[in-house]
Amino acid sequence: MRVAVVTVGDELLSGDTVDTNASWLCDRLDERGVSVERITTVPDRIADIARVVNEYRAEYDAVIVTGGVGPTHDDVTMDGVAAAFGREVVPNADADAWIADHGDYAAADLTDGTTHLPAGARMLPNPEGVAPGAVVEGVYVLPGVPAEMKAMFETVIGEFEGEPTHVEVVRTSEPESALLDRIAAVREEFDVTIGSYPGDDVRLKVMATEAETAAAAAAWLRERID
Ligand code: ATP
Ligand code: MG
């Protein structure tokens, strides 16, 4: 399964907020063997959201959008996603009912628009807050508040499945440039993908669809590097 993540918010683009939602989602999806192929951040602007969602829904099996689902003037994500499908944003009866059942207030008491979702959307209840999320044909719209985003994502995580990858990590103090010959050789010898991440030392990430293959390739590398 191939997925794109879209985070929405002017505050992300100005550097006021660090985009922890994207990295958290990537981590959860990666654990399940789902391949995340894009992270794109867009401003709180309907046309920008619509353009990216429209492009990605054609290309990927699912698109996860976070941020800007509240009812305030700067929250336009539902409008952007609706526009990507050429649909209207309309009052959602399931969202009204859920809020009436789970809140201390009726939907009518909430800020206008809180329960408005793209026409035909499946409503996602917000286990940690009020504003609901939505699913429209493989496009998942989640809140921006990290605790709300995480709790809502956990309710749909079963809809994201891929082929789990087995990972072994090999560390070395050799410089990355010196390792090129052995990285090429291990890739010839085994059916593995190798990631190379320099830092204080170099971390080689050995990935394979079979656990034994990853372990054998990591052992092969450990014998040949310092
Ligand atoms: P609300 O209903 O509270 O308005 P919302 O879904 O509209 O929620 P935003 O208004 O976009 O979400 O953001 C709410 C809070 O969550 C802000 O403090 C924002 O900085 C933070 N936030 C939004 N997106 C992200 C993100 N990608 N990573 C981390 N924090 C984020
Ligand atoms: Mg908001």
Side-chain angles (χ1 to χ4, degrees):
M1 185 177 194
R2 297 163 63 242
V3 167
V5 171
V6 177
T7 54
V8 181
D10 294 346
E11 77 278 18
L12 302 170
L13 291 163
S14 64
D16 289 340
T17 299
V18 176
D19 187 353
T20 54
N21 285 353
S23 48
W24 186 88
L25 283 166
C26 291
D27 207 31
R28 292 293 278 129
L29 291 162
D30 183 61
E31 282 168 12
R32 301 178 67 82
V34 175
S35 161
V36 180
E37 305 208 346
R38 290 287 186 281
I39 301 173
T40 298
T41 304
V42 295
D44 296 291
R45 214 152 46 204
I46 296 172
D48 295 60
I49 298 165
R51 183 147 43 100
V52 158
V53 168
N54 207 22
E55 179 186 336
Y56 290 174
R57 76 187 181 92
E59 180 71 26
Y60 302 103
D61 301 311
V63 182
I64 304 176
V65 184
T66 85
V69 306
T72 54
H73 73 281
D74 60 340
D75 292 325
V76 295
T77 300
M78 290 298 176
D79 301 270
V81 171
F85 288 90
R87 299 189 191 180
E88 298 289 313
V89 173
V90 296
N92 183 284
D94 291 341
D96 284 346
W98 190 84
I99 285 174
D101 277 358
H102 291 83
D104 300 331
Y105 28 64
D109 301 332
L110 295 173
T111 315
D112 204 24
T114 305
T115 59
H116 292 195
L117 304 179
R122 166 158 63 106
M123 187 274 296
L124 297 178
N126 187 333
E128 296 280 328
V130 176
V135 186
V136 192
E137 291 181 22
V139 177
Y140 293 72
V141 188
L142 309 178
V145 178
E148 296 181 20
M149 186 280 297
K150 292 176 188 177
M152 196 181 285
F153 182 69
E154 298 296 352
T155 69
V156 293
I157 192 161
E159 296 169 35
F160 294 85
E161 259 172 49
E163 195 176 355
T165 308
H166 296 274
V167 176
E168 294 272 342
V169 174
V170 178
R171 290 179 181 278
T172 169
S173 55
E174 287 190 51
E176 195 179 30
S177 53
L179 295 167
L180 296 179
D181 54 343
R182 279 149 295 162
I183 292 175
V186 76
R187 290 176 58 226
E188 283 212 353
E189 196 79 18
F190 300 90
D191 189 9
V192 289
T193 311
I194 307 286
S196 166
Y197 306 100
D200 289 339
D201 54 8
V202 176
R203 197 166 63 90
L204 296 176
K205 188 174 168 187
V206 181
M207 293 160 279
T209 50
E210 302 296 332
E212 305 81 63
T213 310
W220 188 98
L221 273 172
R222 286 188 190 105
E223 272 171 28
R224 291 168 177 82
I225 60 180
D226 292 326

